[in-house]
């Protein structure tokens, strides 16, 4: 499964929020993709995981509406992906402890 991280200036958060909320029940939408947003170093990072080429086409096309949106630099992408994976592992570990 491919993982990508996009970088957006914080000043465009409202534009991004509006974009993410559009048409959540469409066959391909951000509501169905469920991107994960994180703030770091005065920037927003959007993490998406998918193995469908159509999803990547959709994301790339829609993000054109947010002027600062671009694919994150390799170092930032690796940092965000690691952060998301660590959070998922911590959540799974905590959930496992509940049902022990």
């Amino acid at each position: 499964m491919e993982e990508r991280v996009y970088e957006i200036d914080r000043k465009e958060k409202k534009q991004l929020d509006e974009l993410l909320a559009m048409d959540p029940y469409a066959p391909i939408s951000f509501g169905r993709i469920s991107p994960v947003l994180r703030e770091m170093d005065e920037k927003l990072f959007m993490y998406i995981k998918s193995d469908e080429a159509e999803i990547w086409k959709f994301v790339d096309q829609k993000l054109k509406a947010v002027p600062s949106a671009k694919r994150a630099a390799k170092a930032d992408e690796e940092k965000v992906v690691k952060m998301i994976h660590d959070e998922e592992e911590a959540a799974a570990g905590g959930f496992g402890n509940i049902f022990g």
Side-chain angles (χ1 to χ4, degrees):
M1 179 120 4
E2 184 175 355
E3 299 170 297
R4 291 187 190 176
V5 176
Y6 295 86
E7 176 184 316
I8 300 103
D9 287 341
R10 279 183 59 194
K11 66 184 179 195
E12 293 178 338
K13 185 174 183 344
K14 184 178 180 193
Q15 274 183 282
L16 179 64
D17 288 343
E18 290 171 0
L19 180 68
L20 296 179
M22 289 176 65
D23 205 6
Y25 304 110
I28 298 178
S29 69
F30 285 108
R32 292 185 185 261
I33 297 169
S34 301
V36 177
L37 296 176
R38 291 291 176 267
E39 289 187 39
M40 280 185 346
D41 305 327
E42 298 298 315
K43 296 191 186 248
L44 293 170
F45 290 93
M46 183 170 65
Y47 166 86
I48 299 175
K49 178 169 60 171
S50 178
D51 57 0
E52 297 179 41
E54 298 242 341
I55 297 293
W56 300 121
K57 285 182 197 172
F58 169 83
V59 170
D60 289 339
Q61 181 65 34
K62 293 296 183 182
L63 284 179
K64 289 179 182 176
V66 181
S68 69
K70 63 182 179 185
R71 186 90 183 259
K74 189 76 169 161
D76 288 333
E77 187 169 67
E78 289 172 358
K79 191 184 310 182
V80 172
V81 168
K82 182 180 180 341
M83 180 189 313
I84 300 296
H85 287 188
D86 290 348
E87 289 172 5
E88 289 173 349
E89 287 176 22
F95 197 69
N97 289 336
I98 292 172
F99 295 104

